[in-house]
Amino acid sequence: MKLYADQPANLNIVTGYGQDYVLINTQRHEGNLLITPDEVFANWAPGGFAGLTADDFVAVRNLQAQVAIIGTGVRQRFPAPALLRPLIEAGIGFEVMDLPAACRTYNILANEGRKVVAALLFEAAN
């Protein structure tokens, strides 16, 4: 799916996505990643959903966002609460949703000028 909206210059916006990729400002990214309005961090959570660790969420926490949107692929899956402890202890709000919802929600919050991070996990190729 492709998404287009008016956007401020130099703001990272999701302009499209699929099961194994996301387009940020029309540039294709494959693999799990973190997106903020200012930066894109590839190679986040290399173990995928099944291999998530607390350190993966420490990386999210270290971006000092107000809210973290966690996109878990084609379906919503909830990480173990212990893994989310770095976000909870830092007082960072978070929502877990499927990838399409995460992309749309991230765009809305980024366009509102919120300090947001999207933590996106992609499905392994079958």
Side-chain angles (χ1 to χ4, degrees), residues 4-46:
Y4 296 98
D6 292 335
Q7 68 187 63
N10 302 323
L11 184 67
N12 287 326
I13 294 295
V14 177
T15 54
Y17 54 82
Q19 185 173 336
D20 61 350
Y21 73 94
V22 66
L23 300 176
I24 301 170
N25 300 334
T26 70
Q27 182 179 1
R28 187 179 177 112
H29 295 268
E30 297 177 357
N32 305 332
L33 69 152
L34 299 173
I35 308 166
T36 71
D38 302 318
E39 298 183 72
V40 177
F41 301 91
N43 301 318
W44 175 72

Short mmCIF file of all heavy atoms in Angstrom, two decimals, residues 4-46:
data_model
loop_
_atom_site.label_atom_id
_atom_site.label_comp_id
_atom_site.label_asym_id
_atom_site.label_seq_id
_atom_site.Cartn_x
_atom_site.Cartn_y
_atom_site.Cartn_z
N TYR A 4 0.24 8.76 0.94
CA TYR A 4 0.75 10.07 0.61
C TYR A 4 -0.01 11.12 1.40
O TYR A 4 -1.22 11.03 1.55
CB TYR A 4 0.60 10.38 -0.89
CG TYR A 4 1.42 9.46 -1.75
CD1 TYR A 4 0.85 8.36 -2.36
CD2 TYR A 4 2.77 9.69 -1.93
CE1 TYR A 4 1.61 7.51 -3.14
CE2 TYR A 4 3.54 8.84 -2.70
CZ TYR A 4 2.96 7.77 -3.31
OH TYR A 4 3.70 6.91 -4.06
N ALA A 5 0.71 12.09 1.90
CA ALA A 5 0.08 13.19 2.63
C ALA A 5 1.02 14.38 2.56
O ALA A 5 2.21 14.24 2.30
CB ALA A 5 -0.15 12.81 4.09
N ASP A 6 0.47 15.57 2.78
CA ASP A 6 1.32 16.73 2.89
C ASP A 6 2.19 16.54 4.12
O ASP A 6 1.72 16.08 5.16
CB ASP A 6 0.48 18.00 3.05
CG ASP A 6 -0.31 18.31 1.79
OD1 ASP A 6 0.12 17.90 0.70
OD2 ASP A 6 -1.36 18.97 1.92
N GLN A 7 3.46 16.87 3.98
CA GLN A 7 4.35 16.69 5.10
C GLN A 7 5.36 17.81 5.18
O GLN A 7 5.76 18.36 4.16
CB GLN A 7 5.08 15.35 5.00
CG GLN A 7 6.09 15.29 3.85
CD GLN A 7 6.66 13.92 3.67
OE1 GLN A 7 5.95 12.99 3.37
NE2 GLN A 7 7.95 13.82 3.83
N PRO A 8 5.77 18.16 6.38
CA PRO A 8 6.84 19.14 6.53
C PRO A 8 8.13 18.60 5.91
O PRO A 8 8.37 17.40 5.91
CB PRO A 8 6.99 19.29 8.05
CG PRO A 8 5.71 18.76 8.62
CD PRO A 8 5.23 17.72 7.65
N ALA A 9 8.96 19.50 5.41
CA ALA A 9 10.23 19.09 4.81
C ALA A 9 11.10 18.40 5.86
O ALA A 9 11.05 18.71 7.04
CB ALA A 9 10.95 20.32 4.26
N ASN A 10 11.87 17.45 5.41
CA ASN A 10 12.84 16.74 6.25
C ASN A 10 12.22 15.89 7.35
O ASN A 10 12.87 15.57 8.33
CB ASN A 10 13.86 17.71 6.85
CG ASN A 10 14.61 18.47 5.78
OD1 ASN A 10 14.93 17.94 4.73
ND2 ASN A 10 14.87 19.72 6.05
N LEU A 11 10.98 15.52 7.21
CA LEU A 11 10.31 14.68 8.20
C LEU A 11 10.19 13.27 7.62
O LEU A 11 9.74 13.10 6.49
CB LEU A 11 8.91 15.24 8.49
CG LEU A 11 8.09 14.55 9.56
CD1 LEU A 11 8.74 14.75 10.93
CD2 LEU A 11 6.68 15.14 9.56
N ASN A 12 10.63 12.27 8.38
CA ASN A 12 10.50 10.89 7.92
C ASN A 12 9.04 10.45 8.03
O ASN A 12 8.49 10.41 9.13
CB ASN A 12 11.37 9.95 8.76
CG ASN A 12 12.83 10.11 8.45
OD1 ASN A 12 13.20 10.37 7.31
ND2 ASN A 12 13.67 9.96 9.45
N ILE A 13 8.46 10.14 6.90
CA ILE A 13 7.06 9.70 6.82
C ILE A 13 7.03 8.38 6.06
O ILE A 13 7.74 8.20 5.07
CB ILE A 13 6.19 10.75 6.10
CG1 ILE A 13 6.12 12.03 6.93
CG2 ILE A 13 4.80 10.24 5.80
CD1 ILE A 13 5.42 11.87 8.27
N VAL A 14 6.18 7.45 6.51
CA VAL A 14 5.99 6.19 5.80
C VAL A 14 5.10 6.48 4.60
O VAL A 14 3.97 6.92 4.75
CB VAL A 14 5.36 5.13 6.72
CG1 VAL A 14 5.11 3.84 5.95
CG2 VAL A 14 6.25 4.87 7.93
N THR A 15 5.64 6.22 3.42
CA THR A 15 4.88 6.48 2.19
C THR A 15 4.38 5.20 1.55
O THR A 15 3.68 5.25 0.53
CB THR A 15 5.74 7.28 1.17
OG1 THR A 15 6.97 6.60 0.96
CG2 THR A 15 6.01 8.68 1.69
N GLY A 16 4.70 4.06 2.12
CA GLY A 16 4.21 2.77 1.63
C GLY A 16 4.76 1.65 2.48
O GLY A 16 5.72 1.84 3.23
N TYR A 17 4.12 0.48 2.38
CA TYR A 17 4.59 -0.67 3.15
C TYR A 17 4.05 -1.95 2.54
O TYR A 17 3.10 -1.95 1.77
CB TYR A 17 4.19 -0.58 4.62
CG TYR A 17 2.71 -0.38 4.83
CD1 TYR A 17 1.83 -1.46 4.80
CD2 TYR A 17 2.19 0.88 5.06
CE1 TYR A 17 0.47 -1.28 4.98
CE2 TYR A 17 0.83 1.07 5.24
CZ TYR A 17 -0.02 -0.01 5.20
OH TYR A 17 -1.36 0.17 5.38
N GLY A 18 4.70 -3.03 2.90
CA GLY A 18 4.28 -4.37 2.51
C GLY A 18 4.69 -5.33 3.61
O GLY A 18 5.17 -4.91 4.67
N GLN A 19 4.52 -6.60 3.38
CA GLN A 19 4.82 -7.60 4.40
C GLN A 19 6.29 -7.59 4.82
O GLN A 19 6.61 -7.84 5.97
CB GLN A 19 4.44 -8.99 3.91
CG GLN A 19 4.60 -10.06 4.96
CD GLN A 19 4.05 -11.39 4.51
OE1 GLN A 19 3.20 -11.46 3.65
NE2 GLN A 19 4.56 -12.45 5.10
N ASP A 20 7.19 -7.25 3.89
CA ASP A 20 8.62 -7.34 4.19
C ASP A 20 9.39 -6.05 3.90
O ASP A 20 10.60 -6.07 3.78
CB ASP A 20 9.25 -8.49 3.43
CG ASP A 20 9.13 -8.32 1.92
OD1 ASP A 20 8.42 -7.41 1.46
OD2 ASP A 20 9.77 -9.10 1.19
N TYR A 21 8.70 -4.93 3.81
CA TYR A 21 9.39 -3.66 3.54
C TYR A 21 8.53 -2.49 4.00
O TYR A 21 7.33 -2.62 4.26
CB TYR A 21 9.70 -3.50 2.05
CG TYR A 21 8.48 -3.19 1.23
CD1 TYR A 21 8.13 -1.87 0.94
CD2 TYR A 21 7.64 -4.20 0.76
CE1 TYR A 21 6.99 -1.57 0.20
CE2 TYR A 21 6.51 -3.91 0.02
CZ TYR A 21 6.19 -2.60 -0.25
OH TYR A 21 5.05 -2.30 -0.97
N VAL A 22 9.19 -1.34 4.07
CA VAL A 22 8.50 -0.08 4.31
C VAL A 22 9.19 0.97 3.44
O VAL A 22 10.41 0.89 3.20
CB VAL A 22 8.52 0.30 5.81
CG1 VAL A 22 9.90 0.60 6.31
CG2 VAL A 22 7.59 1.45 6.10
N LEU A 23 8.41 1.90 2.93
CA LEU A 23 8.95 3.03 2.18
C LEU A 23 8.93 4.24 3.09
O LEU A 23 7.87 4.60 3.61
CB LEU A 23 8.13 3.32 0.92
CG LEU A 23 8.00 2.22 -0.12
CD1 LEU A 23 7.06 2.64 -1.24
CD2 LEU A 23 9.36 1.84 -0.68
N ILE A 24 10.08 4.84 3.27
CA ILE A 24 10.17 6.06 4.06
C ILE A 24 10.59 7.16 3.11
O ILE A 24 11.68 7.10 2.53
CB ILE A 24 11.17 5.90 5.22
CG1 ILE A 24 10.73 4.73 6.10
CG2 ILE A 24 11.26 7.21 6.02
CD1 ILE A 24 11.74 4.33 7.13
N ASN A 25 9.69 8.12 2.93
CA ASN A 25 9.92 9.18 1.94
C ASN A 25 10.26 8.56 0.59
O ASN A 25 11.18 8.99 -0.10
CB ASN A 25 10.99 10.15 2.40
CG ASN A 25 10.62 10.83 3.70
OD1 ASN A 25 9.45 10.97 4.03
ND2 ASN A 25 11.62 11.24 4.46
N THR A 26 9.56 7.52 0.24
CA THR A 26 9.65 6.72 -1.00
C THR A 26 10.92 5.87 -1.11
O THR A 26 11.11 5.19 -2.10
CB THR A 26 9.48 7.57 -2.28
OG1 THR A 26 10.60 8.42 -2.46
CG2 THR A 26 8.18 8.36 -2.26
N GLN A 27 11.79 5.89 -0.11
CA GLN A 27 12.99 5.04 -0.12
C GLN A 27 12.67 3.72 0.57
O GLN A 27 12.20 3.70 1.71
CB GLN A 27 14.16 5.73 0.57
CG GLN A 27 15.42 4.90 0.55
CD GLN A 27 16.59 5.61 1.22
OE1 GLN A 27 16.48 6.72 1.73
NE2 GLN A 27 17.73 4.95 1.22
N ARG A 28 12.96 2.61 -0.11
CA ARG A 28 12.62 1.28 0.39
C ARG A 28 13.61 0.83 1.47
O ARG A 28 14.83 0.95 1.31
CB ARG A 28 12.62 0.27 -0.76
CG ARG A 28 12.12 -1.10 -0.35
CD ARG A 28 12.12 -2.04 -1.55
NE ARG A 28 11.71 -3.38 -1.16
CZ ARG A 28 10.58 -3.95 -1.53
NH1 ARG A 28 9.74 -3.31 -2.31
NH2 ARG A 28 10.28 -5.17 -1.14
N HIS A 29 13.05 0.29 2.56
CA HIS A 29 13.83 -0.29 3.65
C HIS A 29 13.29 -1.68 3.92
O HIS A 29 12.07 -1.86 4.03
CB HIS A 29 13.72 0.55 4.92
CG HIS A 29 14.29 1.92 4.80
ND1 HIS A 29 15.59 2.20 5.13
CD2 HIS A 29 13.75 3.08 4.36
CE1 HIS A 29 15.82 3.49 4.91
NE2 HIS A 29 14.72 4.03 4.45
N GLU A 30 14.17 -2.64 4.03
CA GLU A 30 13.79 -4.01 4.34
C GLU A 30 14.45 -4.40 5.65
O GLU A 30 15.55 -3.98 5.95
CB GLU A 30 14.21 -4.95 3.22
CG GLU A 30 13.52 -4.63 1.91
CD GLU A 30 14.00 -5.51 0.76
OE1 GLU A 30 14.90 -6.33 0.95
OE2 GLU A 30 13.45 -5.35 -0.33
N GLY A 31 13.79 -5.20 6.42
CA GLY A 31 14.33 -5.61 7.70
C GLY A 31 13.82 -4.74 8.83
O GLY A 31 13.36 -3.62 8.63
N ASN A 32 13.88 -5.27 10.01
CA ASN A 32 13.38 -4.59 11.19
C ASN A 32 14.11 -3.27 11.40
O ASN A 32 15.33 -3.21 11.24
CB ASN A 32 13.54 -5.48 12.42
CG ASN A 32 12.89 -6.83 12.22
OD1 ASN A 32 11.93 -6.96 11.47
ND2 ASN A 32 13.40 -7.85 12.87
N LEU A 33 13.36 -2.23 11.77
CA LEU A 33 13.99 -0.93 11.92
C LEU A 33 13.23 -0.05 12.89
O LEU A 33 12.08 -0.32 13.24
CB LEU A 33 14.15 -0.24 10.58
CG LEU A 33 12.90 0.24 9.86
CD1 LEU A 33 13.26 1.43 9.01
CD2 LEU A 33 12.36 -0.84 8.97
N LEU A 34 13.91 1.02 13.29
CA LEU A 34 13.33 2.08 14.10
C LEU A 34 13.25 3.33 13.25
O LEU A 34 14.20 3.64 12.52
CB LEU A 34 14.20 2.37 15.33
CG LEU A 34 14.41 1.22 16.30
CD1 LEU A 34 15.42 1.62 17.37
CD2 LEU A 34 13.09 0.80 16.93
N ILE A 35 12.14 4.04 13.35
CA ILE A 35 11.95 5.28 12.60
C ILE A 35 11.56 6.38 13.58
O ILE A 35 10.66 6.19 14.40
CB ILE A 35 10.82 5.17 11.56
CG1 ILE A 35 11.01 3.96 10.67
CG2 ILE A 35 10.72 6.44 10.74
CD1 ILE A 35 9.77 3.63 9.86
N THR A 36 12.24 7.50 13.49
CA THR A 36 11.81 8.71 14.19
C THR A 36 11.58 9.78 13.12
O THR A 36 11.99 9.59 11.96
CB THR A 36 12.87 9.21 15.19
OG1 THR A 36 13.99 9.74 14.48
CG2 THR A 36 13.33 8.10 16.13
N PRO A 37 10.97 10.88 13.47
CA PRO A 37 10.80 11.93 12.47
C PRO A 37 12.12 12.42 11.87
O PRO A 37 12.14 12.93 10.76
CB PRO A 37 10.09 13.04 13.24
CG PRO A 37 9.30 12.30 14.28
CD PRO A 37 10.23 11.17 14.70
N ASP A 38 13.23 12.20 12.58
CA ASP A 38 14.53 12.70 12.14
C ASP A 38 15.49 11.65 11.62
O ASP A 38 16.40 11.97 10.86
CB ASP A 38 15.23 13.44 13.29
CG ASP A 38 14.40 14.59 13.82
OD1 ASP A 38 13.82 15.33 13.02
OD2 ASP A 38 14.33 14.74 15.06
N GLU A 39 15.33 10.39 12.05
CA GLU A 39 16.32 9.36 11.72
C GLU A 39 15.67 8.01 11.45
O GLU A 39 14.57 7.75 11.91
CB GLU A 39 17.33 9.19 12.86
CG GLU A 39 18.15 10.43 13.16
CD GLU A 39 19.16 10.19 14.25
OE1 GLU A 39 20.15 9.48 13.97
OE2 GLU A 39 18.95 10.68 15.38
N VAL A 40 16.42 7.18 10.73
CA VAL A 40 16.03 5.78 10.49
C VAL A 40 17.19 4.91 10.95
O VAL A 40 18.34 5.16 10.59
CB VAL A 40 15.73 5.53 9.00
CG1 VAL A 40 15.40 4.06 8.75
CG2 VAL A 40 14.60 6.43 8.51
N PHE A 41 16.87 3.89 11.76
CA PHE A 41 17.89 2.99 12.28
C PHE A 41 17.60 1.59 11.78
O PHE A 41 16.63 0.97 12.22
CB PHE A 41 17.90 3.01 13.81
CG PHE A 41 18.15 4.37 14.39
CD1 PHE A 41 17.09 5.21 14.68
CD2 PHE A 41 19.45 4.80 14.63
CE1 PHE A 41 17.32 6.47 15.22
CE2 PHE A 41 19.68 6.06 15.16
CZ PHE A 41 18.61 6.90 15.45
N ALA A 42 18.43 1.10 10.87
CA ALA A 42 18.26 -0.25 10.33
C ALA A 42 18.83 -1.27 11.30
O ALA A 42 19.54 -0.92 12.25
CB ALA A 42 18.97 -0.35 8.98
N ASN A 43 18.52 -2.53 11.05
CA ASN A 43 19.06 -3.66 11.81
C ASN A 43 18.62 -3.68 13.27
O ASN A 43 19.33 -4.22 14.12
CB ASN A 43 20.59 -3.70 11.72
CG ASN A 43 21.06 -3.80 10.30
OD1 ASN A 43 20.51 -4.55 9.50
ND2 ASN A 43 22.05 -3.01 9.96
N TRP A 44 17.46 -3.12 13.57
CA TRP A 44 16.93 -3.21 14.93
C TRP A 44 16.33 -4.60 15.11
O TRP A 44 15.75 -5.16 14.18
CB TRP A 44 15.86 -2.14 15.16
CG TRP A 44 15.19 -2.26 16.49
CD1 TRP A 44 15.74 -1.98 17.70
CD2 TRP A 44 13.87 -2.74 16.74
NE1 TRP A 44 14.83 -2.23 18.70
CE2 TRP A 44 13.67 -2.71 18.13
CE3 TRP A 44 12.83 -3.20 15.94
CZ2 TRP A 44 12.49 -3.11 18.74
CZ3 TRP A 44 11.65 -3.59 16.53
CH2 TRP A 44 11.49 -3.54 17.92
N ALA A 45 16.42 -5.17 16.27
CA ALA A 45 15.82 -6.47 16.62
C ALA A 45 16.13 -7.53 15.56
O ALA A 45 15.23 -8.06 14.92
CB ALA A 45 14.32 -6.33 16.83
N PRO A 46 17.41 -7.87 15.38
CA PRO A 46 17.78 -8.80 14.32
C PRO A 46 17.16 -10.19 14.47
O PRO A 46 17.05 -10.92 13.49
CB PRO A 46 19.30 -8.85 14.39
CG PRO A 46 19.65 -8.38 15.76
CD PRO A 46 18.57 -7.42 16.15
#
